[in-house]
Amino acid sequence: MLPNTGRLAGCTVFITGASRGIGKAIALKAAKDGANIVIAAKTAQPHPKLLGTIYTAAEEIGGKALPCIVDVRDEQQISAAVEKAIKKFGGIDILVNNASAISLTNTLDTPTKRLDLMMNVNTRGTYLASKACIPYLKKSKVAHILNISPPLNLNPVWFKQHCAYTIAKYGMSMYVLGMAEEFKGEIAVNALWPKTAIHTAAMDMLGGPGIESQCRKVDIIADAAYSIFQKPKSFTGNFVIDENILKEEGIENFDVYAIKPGHPLQPDFFLDEYPEAVSKKVESTGAVPEFKEEKLQLQPKPRSGAVEETFRIVKDSLSDDVVKATQAIYLFELSGEDGGTWFLDLKSKGGNVGYGEPSDQADVVMSMTTDDFVKMFSGKLKPTMAFMSGKLKIKGNMALAIKLEKLMNQMNARL
């Protein structure tokens, strides 16, 4: 872990989306230095699925926290929070644009309401919060804007499956390019993005039970942000990866950030970490890549009947417990030899598999080649990695689609 130095003592840090997760972790780290924290988030009442409100966060942070109800889509709420911060603390030294909305859906499966939410929270909200804070940041000796957003990777693979989300998130990153130049010498403007998946309540909802073992703690983002805050204004226009900057700080043991030390980690989006590339990179250090699970007893290359044999093995692995834990029907549209339409019913008692359409409507439709399908079920290709690299197309409930990954791990363990 990166030790605190006390250099942020007396500074005021304005953080959007700070009631939980990454935003709250950054707040706690800065508060340990003696910084004043403005918790600018919209959760004032307890959420049924997501723990934490602006008030519980303020209580955890301590006496120098100012909880403000802020929906970043509302310019008046942002302005009101900035005014409260100036009145209570006298200025703003650091702005963290952390608030974000996500929907990993393709063009036809993204409702206009969801599109508007992502654009208004990610892109527009970041702009409005920055615009409101900049006049005060200009007066600060510290003067940092930090956007929690990815490097601008124009590889089409990061657009094809979730174009709207990528554009909304890249909007935050483009502000880094523009504002770093616009306010050069006055305000440092940078982006920070994790190398691996980070365990948050939102990740639990997206990935389902068990996803945390493939994640790092929010502490790694907090430490990386803290490192950036201590740099001079000349450090600007950078797209920082958490692990990289902490290595520069001398951190060598990254197991301290892992939820389950030693367990393989899930690479994050937008970093071109394809299965083959990650495999070679990780194996070169003697580790085992997360997508390379124990193999099912299948031939390495699909032959005639390989898909049928895979489904037979899957069927033998089913149980009432698996059905109860999953509650989903998956439809597989497979191209190539031994392909066609297959289903995996994990709603009916005991579960079922078969060729053709299921008796009830599928919750998730997955399209891929038979070759990749067998690799996926034999543990050679993770569903998440297949999706990220464009080998797998998904329609329907994304959370249930991600649940399938854990199910496959359980099946592999049994076999």
Side-chain angles (χ1 to χ4, degrees):
M1 296 286 187
L2 193 66
N4 281 71
T5 63
R7 290 173 62 181
L8 297 185
C11 291
T12 297
V13 187
F14 190 108
I15 309 175
T16 67
S19 60
R20 62 177 69 92
I22 289 172
K24 188 179 78 171
I26 294 173
L28 288 168
K29 182 70 176 180
K32 286 181 181 178
D33 251 21
N36 307 311
I37 308 296
V38 182
I39 306 167
K42 67 176 184 176
T43 307
Q45 300 297 325
H47 190 281
K49 295 183 179 180
L50 300 174
L51 295 177
T53 68
I54 57 174
Y55 303 113
T56 59
E59 184 177 353
E60 190 173 348
I61 291 165
K64 292 190 175 183
L66 174 64
C68 297
I69 299 175
V70 176
D71 182 336
V72 294
R73 294 172 293 180
D74 188 325
E75 188 173 11
Q76 290 185 340
Q77 288 187 8
I78 294 173
S79 297
V82 169
E83 289 177 8
K84 289 179 182 177
I86 299 305
K87 184 176 181 180
K88 183 174 179 65
F89 300 126
I92 295 174
D93 300 284
I94 298 170
L95 166 64
V96 180
N97 285 307
N98 168 68
S100 188
I102 182 172
S103 180
L104 298 177
T105 47
N106 61 32
T107 301
L108 296 181
D109 292 329
T110 305
T112 303
K113 184 177 180 181
R114 179 63 61 174
L115 169 69
D116 290 343
L117 175 66
M118 290 189 287
M119 295 297 180
N120 288 335
V121 172
N122 301 359
T123 308
R124 183 174 179 270
T126 295
Y127 183 86
L128 293 179
S130 300
K131 183 180 179 181
C133 291
I134 283 170
Y136 304 99
L137 290 169
K138 282 187 170 185
K139 301 175 183 178
S140 170
K141 293 181 180 179
V142 179
H144 277 269
I145 294 176
L146 181 63
N147 296 349
I148 307 301
S149 62
L152 288 166
N153 186 345
L154 297 183
N155 188 329
V157 72
W158 301 117
F159 292 82
K160 64 185 292 186
Q161 301 295 345
H162 38 77
C163 188
Y165 170 66
T166 297
I167 291 173
K169 204 66 185 173
Y170 278 16
M172 298 174 68
S173 300
M174 293 178 77
Y175 292 141
V176 172
L177 287 181
M179 292 183 184
E181 288 298 314
E182 183 177 358
F183 302 107
K184 184 175 287 187
E186 295 180 290
I187 304 170
V189 185
N190 296 287
L192 174 62
W193 194 247
K195 183 175 181 179
T196 72
I198 301 297
H199 184 234
T200 62
M203 178 59 74
D204 279 337
M205 291 179 65
L206 193 64
I211 190 67
E212 67 274 7
S213 64
Q214 301 175 39
C215 298
R216 282 175 170 163
K217 303 171 187 175
V218 291
D219 298 338
I220 190 169
I221 292 288
D223 280 1
Y226 182 74
S227 173
I228 293 170
F229 297 156
Q230 297 183 83
K231 294 189 178 298
K233 294 178 184 180
S234 57
F235 184 82
T236 190
N238 299 289
F239 294 91
V240 179
I241 303 301
D242 57 358
E243 183 175 308
N244 295 348
I245 196 168
L246 291 177
K247 284 181 177 178
E248 293 175 5
E249 292 281 358
I251 301 295
E252 296 179 354
N253 178 19
F254 287 88
D255 273 350
V256 297
Y257 295 112
I259 296 293
K260 188 176 180 181
H263 194 282
L265 299 167
Q266 175 67 54
D268 207 353
F269 280 36
F270 307 116
L271 300 181
D272 278 358
E273 298 285 8
Y274 297 110
E276 294 81 7
V278 178
S279 179
K280 291 178 182 177
K281 184 185 300 182
V282 178
E283 286 178 335
S284 68
T285 66
V288 180
E290 61 86 23
F291 47 81
K292 200 167 184 179
E293 303 290 346
E294 292 298 320
K295 301 176 183 178
L296 297 177
Q297 298 303 312
L298 297 173
Q299 295 295 327
K301 293 184 179 180
R303 304 172 301 175
S304 177
V307 172
E308 184 176 359
E309 174 67 6
T310 300
F311 274 109
R312 184 193 66 74
I313 295 173
V314 170
K315 186 175 182 179
D316 290 344
S317 303
L318 298 183
S319 67
D320 287 334
D321 289 339
V322 170
V323 172
K324 183 178 179 181
T326 310
Q327 286 296 293
I329 297 176
Y330 301 92
L331 184 69
F332 299 90
E333 295 177 341
L334 306 179
S335 59
E337 185 180 359
D338 199 25
T341 299
W342 298 76
F343 70 87
L344 171 57
D345 181 354
L346 296 179
K347 277 188 176 178
S348 303
K349 183 175 176 60
N352 193 21
V353 304
Y355 183 80
E357 300 281 343
S359 56
D360 293 324
Q361 184 176 356
D363 299 290
V364 182
V365 178
M366 297 185 168
S367 302
M368 62 196 314
T369 67
T370 54
D371 187 26
D372 287 333
F373 172 83
V374 175
K375 287 180 181 178
M376 195 168 74
F377 271 88
S378 65
K380 296 177 183 177
L381 178 63
K382 282 279 188 177
T384 303
M385 299 303 296
F387 175 75
M388 290 166 63
S389 61
K391 295 179 178 180
L392 169 64
K393 294 181 179 178
I394 300 175
K395 294 181 181 179
N397 189 315
M398 183 60 66
L400 291 177
I402 296 176
K403 263 192 174 183
L404 187 62
E405 184 165 348
K406 185 186 179 188
L407 175 62
M408 290 177 183
N409 291 339
Q410 293 173 340
M411 290 179 179
N412 287 344
R414 290 174 186 172
L415 295 172

